[in-house]
Amino acid sequence: MTNIDQLRDQLREYDWLYRLGSPAISDTEYDKLFNELKRLEAESGEPPADSPTQLVGSNLFSPELKQGEVAHSIPMLSIDNVYSTGELLDFGNKVERILKDRSGEPCKWVVELKIDGVSLSLIYENGKLVRGVTRGNGLIGNDITYNLDMVVDIPKQLHPPSSAVCRLPSVVSSLPSLLEVRGEVYMLNSDLTILNEQQIADGEDVYKNARNVTSGTISMKNPDEEKGKKRQKILDERKRRKLHFFAHSIGSEEGITAQTHWDFLQELKSCGIPLAPHTKRFDTFADAVNYCESLYGEEDNFLSELDFEIDGLVLKADSFAIRKALGATGHHPRWMTAYKVEKYEAETKLLNIVVQVGKNGTITPVAELEPVDIAGTTVSRASLHNAEEIERKDIRIGDTVVVEKAGKIIPHVVRVVSHSKDDSRKFVFPAQCPACNSPLSKDADTVYIRCNNPQCTARFKEKLRYFANRNAMDIGGLGGYIAEKIVETGLVRTLPDLYRLKDRKAELTKIERLGEKYAARLFDSIEASKNKELRFFINALSIPNVGTSTARDLANYFGTFEKLRKAAETELADIENIGEITARSIVEFFRSEKEMLDELLTFFNQPEAPDLSQKYEPAVITADKTGALAGLTIVVTGALVNFKRHEIEDVIAKHGGKASSSVSAKTSFVLVGSDPGSKLAKAQKLGIRIVYENEFREMIEDG
């Protein structure tokens, strides 16, 4: 048997174990072997028809269906994977080459979370759920309808939305007689923790991960086919387990009115079928790639706060017509791919929880862990993000926890394996700042708890570090240790003190690990920072709610720092991507920090962006004071079909209205698109009128 034959047999075995819910290797390791087989087959010629690279599944069932087996109307194909931006761009280029002769319709893209669960097909007849079928080998799955009652959020009966309830575009007015919805069954990590606590109490082994439990749960025997103790045991086990479902795709398109994947998802949502959160649509493939990179490249985003497992992001061509043009191989569609990062995790003990003070006073809890090796790195600390996450995941000191590191994202605690019987104790969030003892307070509109003492030394240390980093003033040599020491010794108490540091050279060089040469390089770097571009200077100031992108927008819009300082809150709020909350933060910062800024600027030539050729100039809008929206304050939430965000604000202004970023009692109505945020809930709570896009278009057309 050749190496290539051995590899095929090996993959078939792994496929079989995976379907049984007992994977022998990680997804990353499997994908490497699978890609190696594809490479070898490409070199050796045409692969055989029974190769894992050519089949939907690894082992085909018998053509004659066995009891409990169901043939899929359309194969449930696998998804091809990529592991880098370069591979993702190669996929996009390949799609462009296939579509190069196709004129007209542009290719939009939808990005979804790739839920790490068990694939499931739901069949509805005349709106009634009649069957649930697992993916199986992609051609034939197992009928597990009798277990669907354990999936708490699958609706048993669908009702088409009335126009009075939902005005989303393309929503069906009546359901097709046969509707197939495909998605993923999964278990929450918090529910897995509860289940494992019961396992420990019963003297049983704990479950390693949520996917394995999900696979075993959805495939449990039908209790109606058993009797006596066996039946009761199954019933008892069913009560302990709770599963969930996210829809992600269509089966048969017969009877479906939607022409795009996005519109089909909106139809499902309006009928009560749950969708994966954070699903977004993009006009271009490049925009979709940038979004994926932002999630994998930033340390602080929603990925680490999810209460369920994902194993990547899925990019899908939106148009059903374009999908047909792209077609599929025998293994996977050509119109979608999964963008994964290598994910590593390990179990360890949570020894303690401490808190850190951020540059704007945010108090962040941090887990101190028993050191554990993850992907060649020793991990002993992991962010717990905020108090609400600790409560939601029920993380306690003394717990055995799972720590994950994926891509560039810093290590984080995914879930609790078990609470310690001996020393498990809940973490009590401090009432006072650990650095300055000032009272802590919770933000009114966020999950964060803060120290509001502007003189807090811990806050200033972090602010100084941020001021010196590469995306700010880029002061080389002013790392964590030096920043901490010059603050502790009193050499630098304010940002202007940093530019007087040269006058205190003798005191500076007495600091351990800092000699004459180091000091000279530090002084040169501080001097060079006086010539930084305006956008870096704005970012360096740590203005609340202003990061690198907002700082760039402000620099491009105002051109000079003095113009920015004098700007009114209303002018700031009208700038694209700023909004009322950020505008208020900017104005309050300049008011409270006026003396410090006046002093700081004496050390600079007035900072100005040297190249304003890309300066953002807002469109000149002539408002119609008698227009359909005259005198109305309108808040927009969610993605609109016919307007981009900056366009809708111009349209509102053109028809006499005012676009606002926050909902209040003064809001006239909220314009709602797909996937709306918390603004919709707030508007409903305040009894504010809700308007959908079709009605809005009628308003401005009739006006």
Side-chain angles (χ1 to χ4, degrees):
M1 183 179 289
T2 64
N3 288 339
I4 195 169
D5 290 330
Q6 291 176 341
L7 187 53
R8 289 183 184 122
D9 287 345
Q10 190 177 11
L11 286 170
R12 292 186 185 106
E13 180 70 16
Y14 289 149
D15 283 342
W16 181 251
L17 291 170
Y18 184 86
R19 290 205 303 277
L20 291 177
S22 302
I25 60 174
S26 70
D27 287 354
T28 302
E29 292 170 318
Y30 178 90
D31 290 339
K32 286 180 178 177
L33 293 176
F34 189 88
N35 290 332
E36 175 64 11
L37 177 58
K38 286 201 298 185
R39 185 187 68 80
L40 292 173
E41 289 181 341
E43 293 176 353
S44 61
E46 192 72 21
D50 65 347
S51 171
T53 63
Q54 304 304 303
L55 299 176
V56 176
S58 63
N59 288 318
L60 292 177
F61 285 94
S62 166
E64 295 182 4
L65 297 181
K66 300 174 184 177
Q67 184 177 0
E69 293 179 351
V70 178
H72 294 299
S73 59
I74 294 175
M76 294 181 73
L77 299 177
S78 298
I79 305 176
D80 206 17
N81 302 313
V82 298
Y83 278 90
S84 69
T85 306
E87 291 177 344
L88 188 58
L89 293 173
D90 287 343
F91 166 80
N93 292 333
K94 190 182 299 182
V95 169
E96 285 185 4
R97 287 196 296 271
I98 297 173
L99 294 176
K100 66 180 180 180
D101 295 328
R102 184 184 178 88
S103 59
E105 182 182 6
C107 187
K108 295 184 178 182
W109 292 85
V110 175
V111 179
E112 302 171 3
L113 301 180
K114 189 174 185 297
I115 312 300
D116 191 11
V118 176
S119 297
L120 187 67
S121 172
L122 300 177
I123 309 298
Y124 288 88
E125 292 181 358
N126 297 315
K128 183 180 179 180
L129 179 63
V130 297
R131 182 172 289 172
V133 184
T134 63
R135 178 179 179 271
N137 72 344
L139 299 175
I140 299 171
N142 295 314
D143 188 337
I144 47 83
T145 308
Y146 55 86
N147 277 334
L148 292 182
D149 59 337
M150 287 192 288
V151 188
V152 296
D153 39 20
I154 291 179
K156 307 304 185 287
Q157 179 71 53
L158 301 181
H159 299 280
S162 66
S163 58
V165 174
C166 184
R167 300 184 179 90
L168 289 170
S170 301
V171 168
V172 288
S173 57
S174 61
L175 294 168
S177 58
L178 181 65
L179 174 66
E180 181 181 3
V181 179
R182 292 176 175 179
E184 207 80 4
V185 180
Y186 66 98
M187 176 177 278
L188 295 175
N189 285 325
S190 53
D191 287 337
L192 177 62
T193 299
I194 295 171
L195 184 60
N196 276 336
E197 287 294 303
Q198 295 172 334
Q199 290 288 105
I200 293 171
D202 294 341
E204 302 287 343
D205 293 336
V206 297
Y207 296 105
K208 290 186 177 181
N209 59 64
R211 190 202 176 275
N212 286 4
V213 181
T214 302
S215 178
T217 300
I218 205 69
S219 302
M220 287 173 68
K221 290 182 177 180
N222 188 345
D224 293 337
E225 296 178 358
E226 302 291 341
K227 295 180 180 180
K229 291 183 179 180
K230 286 186 178 180
R231 181 176 188 276
Q232 190 58 49
K233 184 177 180 180
I234 295 173
L235 291 174
D236 291 343
E237 193 63 31
R238 284 163 61 92
K239 290 179 182 178
R240 299 172 59 191
R241 306 188 183 199
K242 185 191 297 182
L243 302 179
H244 295 268
F245 177 80
F246 284 138
H248 58 53
S249 59
I250 190 174
S252 170
E253 295 179 25
E254 187 176 349
I256 300 298
T257 58
Q259 301 298 308
T260 68
H261 176 62
W262 181 262
D263 284 347
F264 177 68
L265 291 181
Q266 306 318 306
E267 293 177 0
L268 295 184
K269 182 178 180 180
S270 65
C271 292
I273 297 177
L275 309 178
H278 307 292
T279 298
K280 295 183 180 294
R281 179 168 64 172
F282 299 91
D283 288 338
T284 68
F285 188 74
D287 290 340
V289 172
N290 289 338
Y291 173 68
C292 294
E293 280 296 282
S294 72
L295 293 183
Y296 283 156
E298 294 175 5
E299 295 181 350
D300 187 16
N301 59 52
F302 65 81
L303 290 184
S304 60
E305 299 180 10
L306 298 174
D307 195 22
F308 53 85
E309 296 293 311
I310 68 168
D311 58 347
L313 304 168
V314 182
L315 293 86
K316 302 178 179 179
D318 188 34
S319 165
F320 291 156
I322 285 180
R323 290 183 180 187
K324 289 179 181 177
L326 291 169
T329 69
H331 179 266
H332 62 267
R334 292 192 180 95
W335 44 263
M336 72 171 171
T337 193
Y339 182 24
K340 296 184 176 182
V341 293
E342 294 196 38
K343 186 170 69 173
Y344 306 92
E345 60 179 35
E347 286 187 14
T348 189
K349 186 174 182 179
L350 197 160
L351 302 175
N352 196 16
I353 297 176
V354 297
V355 294
Q356 292 180 338
V357 185
K359 58 188 174 69
N360 286 315
T362 305
I363 307 297
T364 303
V366 177
E368 293 187 339
L369 307 165
E370 197 169 87
V372 61
D373 184 78
I374 303 180
T377 303
T378 300
V379 175
S380 59
R381 290 165 67 87
S383 173
L384 295 174
H385 302 286
N386 55 67
E388 289 189 8
E389 178 166 350
I390 294 175
E391 184 70 23
R392 177 170 54 79
K393 293 182 177 179
D394 194 16
I395 298 171
R396 307 179 192 179
I397 297 169
D399 285 351
T400 299
V401 297
V402 172
V403 182
E404 177 185 279
K405 191 176 189 304
K408 300 175 184 176
I409 300 174
I410 59 174
H412 67 281
V413 175
V414 180
R415 63 184 179 275
V416 174
V417 176
S418 62
H419 300 308
S420 171
K421 292 181 180 180
D422 302 322
D423 60 353
S424 178
R425 63 191 188 277
K426 290 201 170 187
F427 173 69
V428 179
F429 216 91
Q432 295 177 307
C433 174
C436 68
N437 293 321
S438 298
L440 301 180
S441 61
K442 186 178 182 301
D443 289 354
D445 53 353
T446 74
V447 299
Y448 298 111
I449 296 172
R450 296 183 191 277
C451 168
N452 292 304
N453 175 16
Q455 306 305 318
C456 177
T457 55
R459 286 184 61 179
F460 182 65
K461 286 177 184 176
E462 294 305 313
K463 188 172 289 189
L464 186 60
R465 288 191 186 103
Y466 191 81
F467 186 84
N469 78 27
R470 189 168 297 176
N471 289 325
M473 303 304 280
D474 195 16
I475 301 176
L478 194 57
Y481 172 78
I482 300 301
E484 189 168 320
K485 289 300 180 183
I486 61 178
V487 173
E488 288 178 353
T489 56
L491 290 173
V492 175
R493 298 180 186 275
T494 66
L495 292 179
D497 285 346
L498 185 62
Y499 292 89
R500 287 189 284 261
L501 192 58
K502 196 171 185 179
D503 300 332
R504 305 182 69 175
K505 179 181 177 182
E507 297 169 80
L508 181 68
T509 52
K510 289 180 181 178
I511 295 176
E512 187 180 355
R513 291 164 47 187
L514 202 159
E516 293 275 350
K517 290 183 178 179
Y518 194 106
R521 290 197 297 269
L522 177 59
F523 295 149
D524 288 344
S525 189
I526 292 172
E527 187 66 26
S529 73
K530 296 178 182 180
N531 298 314
K532 293 295 290 183
E533 295 177 30
L534 177 57
R535 60 192 175 107
F536 294 116
F537 182 73
I538 296 170
N539 184 42
L541 295 176
S542 295
I543 304 170
N545 299 313
V546 175
T548 53
S549 61
T550 303
R552 182 186 61 245
D553 292 342
L554 291 170
N556 286 342
Y557 184 91
F558 290 102
T560 70
F561 190 65
E562 280 307 304
K563 288 181 181 178
L564 170 60
R565 289 181 75 184
K566 295 175 182 177
E569 187 175 321
T570 51
E571 181 182 9
L572 287 162
D574 286 339
I575 299 173
E576 185 179 2
N577 300 323
I578 301 296
E580 291 182 0
I581 294 175
T582 302
R584 192 176 305 119
S585 296
I586 295 169
V587 171
E588 289 176 356
F589 174 84
F590 286 136
R591 185 185 298 121
S592 63
E593 299 288 350
K594 181 180 184 304
E595 292 183 5
M596 183 277 290
L597 289 170
D598 287 342
E599 186 179 1
L600 181 61
L601 290 174
T602 61
F603 296 96
F604 289 75
N605 295 322
Q606 186 67 30
E608 295 183 1
D611 180 12
L612 296 178
S613 60
Q614 302 300 317
K615 182 176 178 181
Y616 167 70
E617 294 288 357
V620 178
I621 302 295
T622 304
D624 182 356
K625 296 182 179 180
T626 62
L629 308 179
L632 301 181
T633 299
I634 302 159
V635 174
V636 183
T637 181
L640 303 176
V641 174
N642 296 290
F643 306 98
K644 294 182 179 178
R645 180 50 62 103
H646 69 276
E647 292 174 341
I648 191 62
E649 292 174 355
D650 289 350
V651 170
I652 291 170
K654 181 179 179 181
H655 290 274
K658 177 188 175 184
S660 174
S661 62
S662 59
V663 177
S664 70
K666 296 181 180 180
T667 303
S668 305
F669 65 82
V670 175
L671 174 57
V672 177
S674 59
D675 197 19
S678 60
K679 295 174 184 177
L680 174 58
K682 186 174 181 180
Q684 291 170 330
K685 184 178 180 181
L686 294 174
I688 292 170
R689 180 185 175 193
I690 306 300
V691 172
Y692 292 91
E693 190 170 354
N694 286 351
E695 182 181 353
F696 177 79
R697 292 179 66 189
E698 290 174 4
M699 289 170 63
I700 59 177
E701 289 168 3
D702 294 344

